[in-house]
Amino acid sequence: MAFVMSANHPALAQSASTKEAPSDPLEKFLHQYVEHAGLPGAVVAIGYGEGSVRYAATGYASVRPETGMTRDRQFYIGSLTKMMTAVVTLQLASEKRIDLADPIGKYLPGAFRDRIANADRATIRDLLRNSSGIPDYLDGEFFFELVGRDPQHGWRNVELLPLIADREAYFAPGTNYAPSNSNFILLGVMIEAVEGDHIEAVFNRRIFEPAEMINTSFGRFPRPASLARGFDDANGDGQLEDVTDYDVGDQLADGGVISTTEDLVKFARALFVEGVLLGPNAIERATTDTVFAGDGSYGYGLMIGSSDWGPVWGHDGIYFGYSAEFSWFPEQDTVVVFLANGRALNEVPSVTSMLMTGLFGKPE
């Protein structure tokens, strides 16, 4: 981690002072949001029902060398990947390749079927809804210790099974909700087993190519030139460090995808408007077969919430050095996508929540 960027680094100071203030209201909002959050840079896209898209970009895609953020930059999307893993799972179910009532243990290597808590009882449906009770492999620091020892390992889903095994279940399957990245790692293992192919090849065939997401892939080394450098407070000292070259899940089904705001708008339209990825029955089930999850509910790889303007479906995402929001408003056929190359140093509301009045007017 060679570079440290504090809040008064010249690059951030330039962003605030010497650059001309943006005149577009969306750019002005994003500029102020990024400044307040302490983020290096960000892009936001708003995709409307008739097909038009509005973009704004601000801040920096890299600091050494200083490079301004542009809307075509790629970012790690973190847990937004879970929506895609759920889509592939539902596609396999619609093809009768799997059954959502199958226990996940059916698709695991024999050596782990008895070692992963609840694997004999937790169904694929339970995993999709985060109601399996299977413990999260990210609980504790062990995985990150492994990353520190081997920063460019190239983790595969099946390699994480030992980190999920031999741990106590959170609860009996289907009785509660607890977000667990292990659920989507295990779905990734299942997908690769059923398809007999690497996760990226499967996603290419089933999502990226049909949705024309030409700038979307799983992470890899060397890092793509179009990837915005990622910054995080890795040492807990209140300063952002360049962490782009740490593999914390490049090939993993819970968070390894890199994408652009443009491609994620395409994903929203392919999924919810055009029916390219799933049929209406699958969408209805994914958004109504939910479990209570605090401020809202959780469906099949989707956070299901409500607002003064109607329902909102989507996900938020965190990856080492990156953060993301994806929000689909079904009554307005509108999607909001926010991607940043850092995690906020200061407490801020979500971008989507701050944009809704401007998008839809005052609620009735």
Side-chain angles (χ1 to χ4, degrees):
M1 299 181 187
F3 179 67
V4 175
M5 179 173 63
S6 65
N8 59 3
H9 185 273
L12 294 188
Q14 181 186 20
S15 171
S17 59
T18 61
K19 292 182 74 175
E20 290 185 13
S23 57
D24 176 77
L26 185 61
E27 289 184 7
K28 184 176 181 180
F29 159 78
L30 186 64
H31 177 80
Q32 292 173 342
Y33 184 92
V34 163
E35 259 195 346
H36 182 65
L39 294 166
V43 183
V44 67
I46 303 170
Y48 298 97
E50 81 284 1
S52 65
V53 187
R54 190 176 173 192
Y55 297 95
T58 193
Y60 289 83
S62 71
V63 180
R64 289 186 177 172
E66 289 184 7
T67 307
M69 185 64 73
T70 51
R71 78 181 214 192
D72 58 348
R73 284 287 179 170
Q74 292 178 303
F75 300 78
Y76 278 91
I77 66 171
S79 288
L80 273 57
T81 303
K82 293 180 170 70
M83 297 188 295
M84 300 174 183
T85 300
V87 166
V88 173
T89 301
L90 289 170
Q91 289 174 344
L92 292 173
S94 71
E95 296 164 10
K96 310 298 184 185
R97 307 272 302 283
I98 63 170
D99 190 309
L100 297 184
D102 288 339
I104 190 60
K106 177 179 178 180
Y107 300 96
L108 300 182
F112 289 96
R113 288 174 188 163
D114 296 328
R115 293 181 56 198
I116 292 177
N118 290 349
D120 60 336
R121 295 182 294 152
T123 66
I124 292 172
R125 171 176 172 264
D126 288 324
L127 272 66
L128 287 168
R129 303 190 315 160
N130 274 326
S131 61
S132 72
I134 295 173
D136 192 343
Y137 75 94
L138 290 180
D139 279 354
E141 295 297 320
F142 187 60
F143 177 69
F144 295 103
E145 290 173 3
L146 295 176
V147 169
R149 292 178 210 157
D150 189 2
Q152 299 189 8
H153 178 82
W155 293 97
R156 296 287 300 273
N157 292 296
V158 72
E159 286 184 282
L160 296 192
L161 294 180
L163 302 188
I164 304 172
D166 306 322
R167 301 171 67 176
E168 290 187 10
Y170 289 158
F171 46 77
T175 62
N176 208 333
Y177 166 86
S180 173
N181 292 284
S182 297
N183 289 323
F184 290 84
I185 294 296
L186 296 177
L187 289 172
V189 172
M190 179 272 294
I191 288 168
E192 291 184 306
V194 171
E195 287 280 80
D197 208 347
H198 184 269
I199 192 78
E200 182 165 29
V202 176
F203 277 42
N204 280 338
R205 285 195 305 270
R206 291 184 169 273
I207 298 180
F208 305 155
E209 291 171 6
E212 300 181 356
M213 299 166 68
I214 60 175
N215 292 306
T216 302
S217 67
F218 278 82
R220 62 189 182 278
F221 287 103
R223 296 306 194 209
S226 59
L227 180 69
R229 302 294 295 182
F231 296 90
D232 215 307
D233 180 12
N235 299 324
D237 59 1
Q239 295 182 320
L240 295 176
E241 299 149 0
D242 188 331
V243 297
T244 314
D245 294 328
Y246 282 74
D247 168 21
V248 297
D250 278 359
Q251 301 291 311
L252 300 182
D254 64 335
V257 167
I258 58 176
S259 190
T260 65
T261 56
E262 180 179 12
D263 273 8
L264 289 172
V265 170
K266 291 179 179 178
F267 174 71
R269 294 194 63 80
L271 180 59
F272 297 123
V273 178
E274 297 158 359
V276 171
L277 302 179
L278 290 177
N281 291 340
I283 294 292
E284 181 178 7
R285 185 168 184 186
T287 56
T288 58
D289 183 11
T290 62
V291 292
F292 178 69
D295 292 336
S297 299
Y298 200 87
Y300 295 176
L302 287 167
M303 297 175 177
I304 308 299
S306 59
S307 73
D308 291 334
W309 296 267
V312 55
W313 308 335
H315 223 291
D316 54 24
I318 293 292
Y319 191 90
F320 199 33
Y322 299 87
S323 51
E325 297 175 27
F326 176 102
S327 302
W328 172 254
F329 296 87
E331 292 183 358
Q332 293 83 8
D333 278 355
T334 298
V335 66
V336 177
V337 179
F338 169 77
L339 301 177
N341 59 335
R343 291 198 281 179
L345 292 175
N346 304 307
E347 289 291 327
V348 287
S350 72
V351 166
T352 306
S353 66
M354 298 182 72
L355 284 174
M356 285 193 286
T357 299
L359 280 176
F360 308 130
K362 292 184 178 179
E364 296 180 1

